[in-house]
Amino acid sequence: MSQKQQSLLANCGLLLAAAIWGGGFLAGKYALEEYAPFAILAFRFLGAAVLVGILFFRTLRHSNLSVMQKGVLLGVLQFIGLSVQLVGLHHTTAGKQAFLLASYVMFVPFLARFFLKKRIQPKDIFAALLILIGVGCISLNEALTIGLGDALSIGYAFLFALQIIVVGAFSRKENPIQLSFFQFLSAGILASIFTYITDGVPTSCSPLTLYSLLYLTVLNTVVAFTIQNVAQRYTSETAASILISMESLFGFLFSALFLQETITPKIILGCALIFGAALLSKLDVARLIDRQKTS
């Protein structure tokens, strides 16, 4: 398979992962009606680690200390980020959080500058301003304050941007299956400890909660995150960020269809600004200008 074909396949995989994650906002909202955030994360990541362990036992047998350490670091980041996300989701709507998460593209260029010494371009600053306006349209109330759920959702966007930078660095050097397993295992262990300390082990589970947890475990975690870890080896950070940002559009549409959330013109404007800024921040403006000159 050629490099171009590998890149195309990787991009299709990332788009599929974005659609799955979009449905995850819906599943998370349903699960929060019965379970506390830490319990959801414990079920999700320990279940994911067990599934990956069964499916890829032979691959995991050859794991070395380096991939274990990097997987644990990703797991810690994921646990912290998704804990913030679920608490935020408890205090806001799934549709609003889906688009607030897209503000991660505002953080990626600045984190890349800090960790990877990459130059910040003017379009990144303009996109960040558009996102701030969009966040204001979605989140600011009449008193010009942002609710707890929306603030935590933006905090998760920052942590997710950091995870993208780290995954991009690790996935090109380590086996993605091994990386995913130790990522899930460490996140699940941390979530289990906090579940035991704070809320205790759940003793009941309704059918809707069970289906939501299975979606979050099998599709949202095992399938989607493994796709991300594999696909980012064969595509650019720019393409990955654009395709992953489609998660917000899918999440917004699923929430509107299934949760019947109230959608005002102000919220639609904010969503459009954030989504437009997400695409703008990833366009290679210089290359587009060159193509226009030569056409």
Side-chain angles (χ1 to χ4, degrees):
M1 186 180 295
S2 67
Q3 186 174 358
K4 187 175 181 179
Q5 289 174 320
Q6 288 179 333
S7 178
L8 177 61
L9 186 61
N11 290 339
C12 290
L14 287 172
L15 185 61
L16 174 61
I20 292 171
W21 283 326
F25 291 102
L26 199 65
K29 197 69 175 177
Y30 286 139
L32 281 167
E33 294 179 2
E34 185 173 359
Y35 277 19
F38 290 138
I40 294 172
L41 292 179
F43 185 100
R44 174 180 176 180
F45 286 111
L46 285 181
V50 169
L51 285 176
V52 173
I54 293 172
L55 293 172
F56 302 102
F57 175 72
R58 292 185 178 180
T59 301
L60 296 174
R61 285 171 52 191
H62 303 290
S63 302
N64 55 39
L65 182 60
S66 174
V67 76
M68 291 180 189
Q69 291 174 334
K70 291 172 181 175
V72 169
L73 177 58
L74 283 177
V76 171
L77 277 175
Q78 195 163 52
F79 167 73
I80 295 172
L82 289 175
S83 297
V84 172
Q85 183 247 336
L86 282 175
V87 175
L89 184 58
H90 188 68
H91 295 282
T92 190
T93 68
K96 287 172 68 175
Q97 188 181 77
F99 265 97
L100 289 173
L101 172 60
S103 63
Y104 79 88
V105 300
M106 176 176 63
F107 299 114
V108 168
F110 298 96
L111 289 173
R113 170 63 181 172
F114 181 80
F115 289 105
L116 305 177
K117 309 302 180 185
K118 292 189 176 181
R119 186 169 63 89
I120 298 175
Q121 300 182 25
K123 66 181 177 65
D124 295 324
I125 297 175
F126 181 65
L129 291 174
L130 284 181
I131 286 175
L132 287 175
I133 296 171
V135 167
C137 290
I138 293 175
S139 304
L140 288 176
N141 54 29
E142 291 78 5
L144 298 180
T145 58
I146 295 179
L148 175 62
D150 292 351
L152 289 172
S153 299
I154 296 169
Y156 173 54
F158 173 82
L159 293 170
F160 186 67
L162 181 60
Q163 183 179 335
I164 285 179
I165 298 295
V166 176
V167 167
F170 288 174
S171 63
R172 289 177 173 83
K173 299 178 181 179
E174 304 292 354
N175 182 292
I177 300 300
Q178 296 171 349
L179 201 62
S180 296
F181 173 75
F182 291 105
Q183 176 182 345
F184 300 156
L185 182 61
S186 54
I189 291 173
L190 282 172
S192 299
I193 293 171
F194 278 84
T195 297
Y196 183 78
I197 293 173
T198 57
D199 303 300
V201 179
T203 56
S204 63
C205 185
S206 67
L208 180 59
T209 300
L210 178 61
Y211 297 147
S212 299
L213 291 173
L214 288 174
Y215 182 98
L216 291 171
T217 301
V218 179
L219 294 178
N220 228 52
T221 306
V222 175
V223 174
F225 277 110
T226 302
I227 287 174
Q228 181 195 6
N229 286 352
V230 173
Q232 280 197 236
R233 302 181 72 184
Y234 303 103
T235 191
S236 66
E237 291 177 359
T238 297
S241 297
I242 290 175
L243 292 165
I244 290 172
S245 70
M246 296 295 288
E247 168 189 5
S248 300
L249 181 59
F250 286 117
F252 184 79
L253 292 175
F254 292 152
S255 299
L257 287 172
F258 295 101
L259 296 178
Q260 299 179 338
E261 295 176 353
T262 302
I263 301 173
T264 65
K266 181 166 156 286
I267 290 177
I268 292 175
L269 174 60
C271 293
L273 287 170
I274 290 176
F275 190 66
L279 295 180
L280 173 64
S281 68
K282 301 308 169 187
L283 288 177
D284 193 333
V285 178
R287 183 176 297 178
L288 288 175
I289 293 173
D290 288 340
R291 284 181 180 177
Q292 289 295 323
K293 290 180 178 179
T294 56
S295 62

